[in-house]
Amino acid sequence: DAGSSVEEMEFNWDEYLEDTGATAAPHGSFKHVDTSLQNGFAPGMKLEVAVKSDQNTYWVATIITTCGQLLLLRYDGYGEDRKADFWCDIMTADLHPIGWCEQNKKILKVPEGIKDKIPDQEEFLQRVLKGACSAPANLLEGLHRGKNPLDLIAPGSRLELQNVRDSLEAWIVNVVENVGGRLKLRYEGLEDSDKFDQWTFYLDPFLHQVGWAAQHGYSLQPPLAIRSLKSEADWQEILKKVKEEEEESSVPTDLFKDKPVIGVHSFSEGMKLEAVDPMAPFVISPATVLKVYNEKYFMIEIDDLRPERTTSQSYICHVNSAGIFPVQWSLKNGLHLSPPPGYPGQDFDWADYLKQCGAEAAPQSCFPLLTSDHGFKENMKLEAVNPVDPEEVCIATVTKLKDSYLWLQLEGSKKPVPDCIVSVESMNIFPVGWCETNGYQLRPPRKAIVNKQKKIAVVQPEKQILSSRTVHDGLKNQELNSSDSVVINGKYCCPKIYFNHRCFSGPYLNKGRIAELPQSVGPGNCVLVLKEVLTLLINAAYKPSRVLRELQLDEEAAWHGHGETLKAKYKGKSYRATVEVVRTADRVADFCRKTCIKLECCPNLFGPQMVLDKCSENCSVLTKTKYTHYYGKRKNKRIGRPPGGHSNLEVAMKKPNKRRKRRKHFFVHKKKRCSTSVDNTPVGSPQGSGGEEEDDQDESELSHSLAQDRDKRKRKLRTFSFSDDENKPPSPKDIKMEVAEKLQLDSNPLEWSVADVVRFLKSTDCAPLARIFLDQEIDGQALLLLTLPTVQECMDLKLGPAIKLCHHIERVKLAFYQQFAN
């Protein structure tokens, strides 16, 4: 079968590090990545906050610390007293920049707790606000509220990029793509051509906001490489158009505040040095300072003594540019210096060469001090840009270290490249997992395909699958042209599809992940929009492979729509199945409703209707249940499933058929328990991903007479209680266990101090984590705001301990609602 030859290799960093016995370079060594993750708020910033006891009044507060979109605040006037510190969520709290109350005629009033400490409010405010730094208004209000500033460099934004090859002039560039701060840029005027596209990290010293060139006395000129493509009049026309649209495509100015500042250099024309060409960073060569532009910039040329040479390898540098070294640096470090082309003989000698050229060596004082305090070690792994093809990000191994320079061996590049010489401060190197986090393709190592054959999922797709990004880009293009498509082809134009995350999410979909999905997708072409919606839902599942199986096309059913191949990843394996998607707008609502029924969730969970306050299905009364009682008792045949198993979803390395115990799922109404529904799951299907968690649980149920198995199962159940575990259908044993584990609180957790939180944690099996809560000063209010994503991100915990911890936090929340919420 032709389809079966399409095999997909799933690369997994954890397995790869284990197989190679290597370690990952520490995250703290990539300062540019740390900077890109900051949310724009910093300790010490001040803002105006609604006073809890009197919602109509406000008072000035200072940021103590930040954790994702949570801020720990202290009202000014409390001094060093931490007892009244409080956490709030940027997205939901009533927060404003300094001066907002005055502009909007709101009252600034001292909170009750510190009234006696502040006799003169006006004098106090003048004193504390003198020289104070306000939290940025754009991060507290409007579209930018709660967003990472980096997200504001959206495709279509304009910037200015200096031409580092032949002059200092700048030209306008458009952002084509933003991958975690790494920008794909296209010169203004070349909309249809990607031949001259550049990849640059947003903190690059040669990248600026629009208007920089005019402010600093540089001209706006297209680079020589593209200048001949249009006439001078055309370029001027493009510039005029950009200036007219400046407001729409501008990027916030404070985004570049963390960019490295360029210092003053002391190089002179004609000086000799050693250098690495950034376009081909494989060798160290003799080089010459060709031109000095001003106190900040100078041009270097890699020496070439051949009389017939036609091109020069020159580029612009500043005092902190990577890859420039004093004469004899390579000799002192035992490194090979590549003689200039045309140099007589192989043994290069600097003294003879300087005499021959009649030049002087650049003194040591011209070069910045090199540091070896960076955290990198030989054989460490990281992710690095291929200098020959900047589209590629490859697995890299540190093969050598000298001062603050790394020699990197790249694996998996399309064309083999020699070891690259890279500065530890380069913005083209990234920590392990950076590509996965930012949804970018990492080039996997070639040899892993042989080693990990068993991990490959073999499938028979009908056609080439589109990546999620391709679909997303297609949708964006659809949105840009949506007015046209409605007029021309309204029949095939899908309306907006809303994700109503407050609706009941059923046993397969993770409520927390659904809450993180965009509010809506579309409008656009029906197939593209619905394919994107289904892809997002599959990725929001506890087991993406299981949801894909529920959605896959039943070959015996009547064919009404359009077959699309969708993909799911689970536990390092890849699954594909053909899913039916409708093509016309009139059938979209019915398609969404039927898909919800298949996934046993509220029929309004997603669809063209936005649920505002109350769902028409009254789904809020359901807990720990499948959505079956709306549609009667389920028969032994699954909706949309062929009785004989699953025809078009296959996984390699199936486990031998095991006789499976029939499993019962209860759904529980808040008032009463209804009848059970039997789940007849065909053996060997990817629901258990080739015999994973569910099979393990079945075996443990069969051997429950053994006490140790029972204990193990209890531990396992506790570990896998997700923060939104009201969606998971428990077995009767789970229900018993919940009763046993019901928490009785002696005091309201909203009033807990940091010490109270620590005391509670020490009474659980998460006692070792209590220290983190103490260090982060997490009190009861903050504890109740914590979710699984926040815990993982801010406490740097592995998934297992994070889920365990969230289970205990959920118990506190439940007890709080039951005992104190009223």
Side-chain angles (χ1 to χ4, degrees), residues 159-163 168-172 204-220 246 253 256 259 262 294 296-297:
L159 298 162
E160 287 179 4
L161 180 66
Q162 282 176 276
N163 181 10
L168 269 184
E169 293 159 344
W171 186 241
I172 311 289
D204 189 290
F206 290 102
L207 187 67
H208 313 278
Q209 66 204 77
V210 172
W212 175 88
Q215 286 170 17
H216 293 83
Y218 295 101
S219 62
L220 276 174
E246 198 171 315
T253 51
F256 297 102
K259 215 165 69 164
I262 294 177
N294 51 35
K296 286 190 174 181
Y297 301 105

Side-chain angles (χ1 to χ4, degrees), residues 436-683:
E436 188 181 357
T437 303
N438 292 287
Y440 196 76
Q441 177 63 52
L442 175 71
R443 295 285 308 168
R446 288 187 190 88
K447 59 189 173 199
I449 291 172
V450 179
N451 292 353
K452 292 287 168 186
Q453 197 83 34
K454 64 177 186 288
K455 283 280 178 188
I456 297 169
V458 183
V459 264
Q460 295 140 354
E462 300 292 317
K463 56 182 81 64
Q464 186 61 39
I465 189 163
L466 287 169
S467 70
S468 166
R469 173 177 288 144
T470 315
V471 175
H472 193 58
D473 291 347
L475 285 174
K476 265 192 275 191
N477 296 339
Q478 286 283 350
E479 265 187 75
L480 295 174
N481 307 315
S482 58
S483 56
D484 302 339
S485 50
V486 171
V487 177
I488 299 162
N489 223 348
K491 181 182 176 185
Y492 299 105
C493 183
C494 182
K496 265 189 185 179
I497 301 295
Y498 295 95
F499 292 105
N500 300 308
H501 67 87
R502 288 188 180 85
C503 285
F504 175 71
S505 56
Y508 304 128
L509 301 175
N510 182 320
K511 196 174 182 71
R513 288 180 199 155
I514 286 176
E516 290 167 6
L517 294 181
Q519 187 187 30
S520 64
V521 175
N525 173 280
C526 276
V527 173
L528 275 177
V529 171
L530 293 175
K531 189 167 177 185
E532 176 73 352
V533 167
L534 294 178
T535 302
L536 290 170
L537 283 172
I538 288 166
N539 292 330
Y542 292 108
K543 287 186 178 181
S545 55
R546 176 64 194 264
V547 168
L548 185 61
R549 195 181 124 222
E550 291 299 319
L551 296 176
Q552 71 172 311
L553 182 69
D554 180 351
E555 288 185 354
E556 292 178 13
W559 178 268
H560 295 298
H562 175 79
E564 277 294 327
T565 307
L566 293 187
K567 188 164 92 170
K569 292 178 183 175
Y570 185 64
K571 292 202 169 181
K573 295 181 187 174
S574 203
Y575 300 82
R576 285 182 185 169
T578 304
V579 173
E580 184 182 358
V581 178
V582 295
R583 303 179 70 170
T584 55
D586 57 334
R587 300 182 52 229
V588 165
D590 186 52
F591 171 81
C592 292
R593 191 173 179 86
K594 282 181 176 168
T595 305
C596 287
I597 293 168
K598 278 187 188 179
L599 298 179
E600 298 170 27
C601 57
C602 172
N604 292 333
L605 183 70
F606 68 94
Q609 205 66 38
M610 186 197 281
V611 173
L612 294 170
D613 297 320
K614 197 156 190 254
C615 172
S616 59
E617 297 282 340
N618 195 26
C619 64
S620 60
V621 300
L622 292 167
T623 64
K624 292 193 193 288
T625 172
K626 295 189 172 186
Y627 211 85
T628 45
H629 79 287
Y630 274 80
Y631 312 105
K633 290 179 186 176
R634 302 180 64 210
K635 302 280 193 310
N636 282 352
K637 185 184 174 196
R638 285 194 168 276
I639 299 165
R641 287 281 68 71
H646 301 274
S647 52
N648 69 345
L649 178 64
E650 294 184 13
V651 110
M653 300 298 294
K654 281 186 184 170
K655 294 220 170 176
N657 282 0
K658 262 188 223 166
R659 206 172 148 187
R660 294 188 57 149
K661 184 175 178 179
R662 279 184 161 194
R663 306 190 58 208
K664 294 185 179 179
H665 291 293
F666 286 75
F667 61 83
V668 182
H669 223 276
K670 278 190 178 161
K671 298 259 166 75
K672 62 185 179 185
R673 185 175 299 162
C674 302
S675 59
T676 63
S677 66
V678 177
D679 178 4
N680 289 337
T681 305
V683 181

Side-chain angles (χ1 to χ4, degrees), residues 237-254:
E237 188 62 37
I238 288 165
L239 210 49
K240 186 180 167 191
K241 178 177 149 240
V242 168
K243 283 178 178 165
E244 286 168 5
E245 298 171 3
E246 198 171 315
E247 284 300 310
E248 300 166 27
S249 59
S250 62
V251 166
T253 51
D254 58 344

Side-chain angles (χ1 to χ4, degrees), residues 220-342:
L220 276 174
Q221 284 286 342
L224 284 174
I226 65 166
R227 204 171 293 176
S228 59
L229 300 177
K230 291 183 188 291
S231 68
E232 186 59 33
D234 287 344
W235 289 120
Q236 290 309 314
E237 188 62 37
I238 288 165
L239 210 49
K240 186 180 167 191
K241 178 177 149 240
V242 168
K243 283 178 178 165
E244 286 168 5
E245 298 171 3
E246 198 171 315
E247 284 300 310
E248 300 166 27
S249 59
S250 62
V251 166
T253 51
D254 58 344
L255 199 64
F256 297 102
K257 69 182 188 307
D258 298 310
K259 215 165 69 164
V261 176
I262 294 177
V264 175
H265 72 81
S266 51
F267 286 94
S268 311
E269 278 182 26
M271 281 181 173
K272 294 284 183 185
L273 63 158
E274 295 180 2
V276 174
D277 183 355
M279 299 298 170
F282 312 119
V283 293
I284 304 171
S285 310
T288 306
V289 177
L290 196 63
K291 185 175 181 181
V292 172
Y293 290 96
N294 51 35
E295 62 180 15
K296 286 190 174 181
Y297 301 105
F298 55 96
M299 182 183 270
I300 278 179
E301 182 180 47
I302 303 292
D303 287 359
D304 187 339
L305 306 178
R306 292 173 298 185
E308 74 278 7
R309 70 171 180 153
T310 51
T311 57
S312 72
Q313 289 172 276
S314 59
Y315 54 97
I316 290 164
C317 292
H318 51 83
V319 70
N320 293 317
S321 285
I324 55 173
F325 314 99
V327 159
Q328 306 283 16
W329 183 81
S330 51
L331 183 69
K332 286 174 188 169
N333 285 282
L335 301 166
H336 175 68
L337 182 71
S338 180

Side-chain angles (χ1 to χ4, degrees), residues 98-109:
I98 298 298
W100 180 85
C101 285
E102 193 178 340
Q103 289 169 9
N104 292 276
K105 307 287 185 288
K106 298 286 182 183
I107 302 164
L108 273 175
K109 185 180 172 187

Side-chain angles (χ1 to χ4, degrees), residues 80-94:
E80 293 303 308
D81 185 357
R82 300 191 306 194
K83 74 171 184 285
D85 290 2
F86 58 99
W87 288 90
C88 61
D89 188 325
I90 300 162
M91 297 302 286
T92 55
D94 196 359

